[in-house]
Amino acid sequence: MSLDSPVITASPPRWRFRPRLWAHVSAYSRSDLQSDVGAGITVGIVALPLAMAFAIASGLTPQAGLWTAILGGFLIAFFGGSSVQIGGPAGAFIVVVYGIVERFGVNGLLIATSASGCLLFVMGWLRLGSLVRYVPVSIVIGFTNGIAVLIFVSQLRDFLGLEIEKMPGDFFAQMSTIWTHINTFNPYAFALTVCCFMCLWLWPKLSQLPRTGGRLKITGRVPGPIVALVTLTALAWLFGLPVETIGQRFGAIPRDLPTLAWPHFSWVEAKQLVLPIITLTMLGAIESLLCARVADQLSDCPKHDPNQELMAQGIANAALPMIGGMPATGTIARTVTNIRAGARSPIAGIVHAITLAAIVLVAAPLASYIPLSVLAGILIFVAWNMGEWHAFGALKQYSGHYRAMLLSTFLITVVFDLTLAIEFGLVLAFVLFIKRQSGIFNVQIKRTSDARVDVVLYGSLFFGVIGKLDALTRLPQSLPHGCAIYLDARRLISLDTTGLDALKTWLAELKRSNIEVHVRDLQPQPASLMTRTGFLLLLASHTLEAIESSQVGSEVAAKD
């Protein structure tokens, strides 16, 4: 039969740049605007303490976090692919940013942020947004829990009120420094942190109590971080508590707009920042798309466009270094707050940025009175909610591969750094995946007569299972001349070039031994690869009945 079967290939998708905001403009109503304005103001107030806390924990000034939330939040909402996602500084970046600042300085962070923004945009432009979803969930949980632990450790100085000039970036060095300065323990700072944590934990529960005249309902909707921040700051100021404040460590927060300036670029420094750039890129992509997926589940708005979202993240991170900002991404806590406050479109994210800007330009000097121990309580609460601690208790329910990836990623994140954790986790995932797939592949050989041998291939024939073809490659040596081999390929679901090369070598051995081979029932992907590489024509030249398959002539779009 003819082997000139058509192979239909899909044309590459065109680049598409269409922010989700454009889709909402045509049908936007006054009620939508009212809902978005209310939600934006609410989430803007919530973002205020978080932005300062994340920046301070990352080794930056409070205004770096505030203007990152303002400009980054605006750009991500304006150009993003999600209707309700809120962008800004995130807790997941604290450890990475602190390490970059510790080693390369603030200018190194600005270069890394700008470069990661360019990479994020290119990922969206190349439509690679869906690939981020293939990162194993065990790796995501491992480094998320590891980051949560490191955030908690980074706040121990302010939690305990220790007199430490500067915290090191290494985990063991941090613990050693804390132990060395434990004699400077400040009970007032400790009490403020504990009160802040308890306030954040108890405040949402007020809305669950029996309501009297709607007062508890209204109270429960007031953001807990703002309640804790204002109340505890006022108490510390009224009683003159001896605790370190933002003003004492960083000075007054200016009310002026940030100055636009390009970071000083150096190729020598850029080469040293390759791994941090990749880490910021991968972490930003994973964090933003995971957040967008959570938003899709909680909101009735259309599903997000992952590629457009990556391009928006790229635009924001490429622009933020010009105002001295830090990396920005989608933030789960603020996005959930935005949804629960009634957001219907990206206008809410834009209002959130405008609200923050108004607060900074009007009331920035008041932030100087905020105790750092109160911000530590907010961050410790964020770390507690950030970690998926139940995953450790459920490890016994999963396979050894899952446990190995989760625990190794977690430990490497805590002990070494996030860059190494992601690299090791992905490599381990690939190795374990190859091992699992190689365990599925099998070769079954059955000699039905002196003139016929049936061979069945199960699974995927790829580079990781070539060793299992030894019995097949030795087969020509044990068969008489003129014997025929019937290869049943209906269970061969995929084939790569290494497996195809092994089949070519095997076919050459069969040809020298004058043994015919008949291939039956090829699946679409192996048939496509064999057709494109000319292997089917090679089979046809070797035997009159090279292939008996009704699927080769079907529409084949799969690629190797």
Side-chain angles (χ1 to χ4, degrees):
M1 63 181 291
S2 173
L3 298 179
D4 297 330
S5 304
V7 178
I8 301 175
T9 59
S11 60
R14 296 180 179 180
W15 177 55
R16 181 176 181 269
F17 186 85
R18 187 172 179 81
R20 182 57 56 86
L21 179 63
W22 300 0
H24 286 273
V25 170
S26 59
Y28 201 67
S29 64
R30 178 176 294 182
S31 63
D32 292 336
L33 179 61
Q34 292 174 347
S35 298
D36 286 337
V37 169
I41 293 174
T42 301
V43 76
I45 295 173
V46 171
L48 177 69
L50 295 177
M52 291 189 293
F54 291 152
I56 293 172
S58 301
L60 302 172
T61 60
Q63 53 265 35
L66 290 171
W67 285 107
T68 296
I70 294 168
L71 180 60
F74 178 86
L75 293 176
I76 290 173
F78 192 88
F79 294 108
S82 171
S83 298
V84 292
Q85 177 152 269
I86 299 295
F93 280 117
I94 290 176
V95 180
V96 181
V97 172
Y98 189 89
I100 296 175
V101 173
E102 179 78 13
R103 183 176 178 186
F104 302 102
V106 175
N107 189 72
L109 173 65
L110 299 180
I111 295 175
T113 302
S114 180
S116 68
C118 296
L119 288 180
L120 283 167
F121 187 88
V122 171
M123 287 176 64
W125 176 52
L126 296 177
R127 307 183 68 81
L128 300 179
S130 58
L131 295 182
V132 178
R133 300 176 181 176
Y134 295 126
V135 177
V137 65
S138 55
I139 294 178
V140 175
I141 293 175
F143 74 66
T144 300
N145 287 1
I147 290 172
V149 171
L150 290 177
I151 291 175
F152 173 77
V153 173
S154 70
Q155 296 308 300
L156 287 177
R157 172 177 64 167
D158 296 325
F159 176 24
L160 302 175
L162 305 181
E163 298 178 4
I164 302 174
E165 183 176 351
K166 187 175 182 180
M167 286 286 286
D170 179 72
F171 172 76
F172 291 110
Q174 287 179 334
M175 299 304 297
S176 176
T177 302
I178 290 170
W179 178 254
T180 304
H181 294 80
I182 195 67
N183 59 321
T184 62
F185 171 73
N186 186 333
Y188 298 102
F190 177 81
L192 284 176
T193 302
V194 172
C195 289
C196 180
F197 183 91
M198 295 304 297
C199 177
L200 294 175
W201 181 61
L202 292 173
W203 189 255
K205 301 182 183 300
L206 291 177
S207 60
Q208 302 174 7
L209 296 176
R211 297 159 185 165
T212 305
R215 294 180 179 179
L216 286 177
K217 181 178 181 179
I218 297 175
T219 302
R221 288 182 176 179
V222 178
I226 293 298
V227 174
L229 192 72
V230 173
T231 303
L232 296 177
T233 298
L235 288 175
W237 179 76
L238 287 173
F239 291 99
L241 300 182
V243 292
E244 190 176 15
T245 64
I246 289 179
Q248 292 173 355
R249 183 178 295 182
F250 300 99
I253 298 177
R255 289 188 291 183
D256 302 328
L257 293 173
T259 304
L260 297 178
W262 289 99
H264 175 70
F265 182 80
S266 168
W267 276 111
V268 176
E269 191 173 16
K271 291 178 182 178
Q272 298 174 342
L273 288 166
V274 171
L275 287 180
I277 290 171
I278 294 175
T279 302
L280 289 178
T281 303
M282 291 301 299
L283 186 58
I286 293 172
E287 187 79 6
S288 62
L289 296 185
L290 285 178
C291 178
R293 291 178 65 183
V294 171
D296 289 343
Q297 296 172 2
L298 298 178
S299 172
D300 295 331
C301 296
K303 303 297 182 183
H304 75 282
D305 180 349
N307 299 307
Q308 183 64 44
E309 189 61 34
L310 287 183
M311 287 189 282
Q313 303 288 337
I315 293 172
N317 283 281
L320 284 169
M322 291 190 294
I323 61 168
M326 60 187 294
T329 186
T331 57
I332 294 179
R334 276 158 278 175
T335 297
V336 172
T337 301
N338 190 41
I339 296 171
R340 290 177 177 172
R344 298 182 183 179
S345 78
I347 295 295
I350 295 174
V351 173
H352 136 268
I354 295 174
T355 301
L356 266 177
I359 294 174
V360 171
L361 295 176
V362 174
L366 297 178
S368 301
Y369 297 99
I370 298 175
L372 293 171
S373 53
V374 174
L375 293 181
I378 294 175
L379 280 178
I380 291 174
F381 186 76
V382 169
W384 174 256
N385 285 324
M386 178 181 178
E388 298 188 39
W389 312 113
H390 63 276
F392 290 131
L395 281 177
K396 59 183 179 180
Q397 303 174 7
Y398 296 96
S399 65
H401 291 178
Y402 180 93
R403 293 195 294 268
M405 285 192 290
L406 192 153
L407 292 176
S408 61
T409 305
F410 170 76
L411 292 174
I412 294 175
T413 300
V414 173
V415 176
F416 297 99
D417 60 65
L418 186 60
T419 304
L420 182 61
I422 293 177
E423 293 171 350
F424 181 84
L426 290 176
V427 170
L428 182 61
F430 292 148
V431 171
L432 295 178
F433 176 78
I434 291 171
K435 181 179 178 182
R436 179 171 296 177
Q437 291 299 311
S438 62
I440 296 174
F441 181 78
N442 189 28
V443 179
Q444 186 179 82
I445 301 175
K446 181 179 181 181
R447 189 162 183 173
T448 57
S449 67
D450 292 338
R452 174 170 175 165
V453 175
D454 291 337
V455 176
V456 183
L457 299 181
Y458 296 87
S460 300
L461 178 52
F462 69 111
F463 66 91
V465 300
I466 298 302
K468 291 192 172 184
L469 295 179
D470 290 343
L472 200 62
T473 55
R474 292 194 301 264
L475 191 59
Q477 304 171 7
S478 61
L479 296 179
H481 290 280
C483 186
I485 295 178
Y486 289 81
L487 179 61
D488 185 352
R490 76 184 67 180
R491 295 178 179 85
L492 180 64
I493 59 175
S494 65
L495 176 70
D496 73 350
T497 52
T498 304
L500 182 64
D501 185 69
L503 291 180
K504 288 181 180 179
T505 303
W506 180 56
L507 182 63
E509 292 290 334
L510 294 175
K511 190 172 184 178
R512 283 193 293 268
S513 301
N514 196 25
I515 298 174
E516 289 187 352
V517 60
H518 307 272
V519 181
R520 297 176 173 177
D521 299 326
L522 275 174
Q523 295 296 326
Q525 192 275 334
S528 173
L529 179 60
M530 290 181 179
T531 301
R532 288 183 283 115
T533 57
F535 184 69
L536 290 184
L537 296 178
L538 187 64
L539 280 174
S541 65
H542 177 56
T543 177
L544 293 178
E545 188 188 1
I547 180 168
E548 299 173 4
S549 174
S550 60
Q551 300 186 36
V552 176
S554 64
E555 181 177 309
V556 179
K559 294 293 182 182
D560 177 44

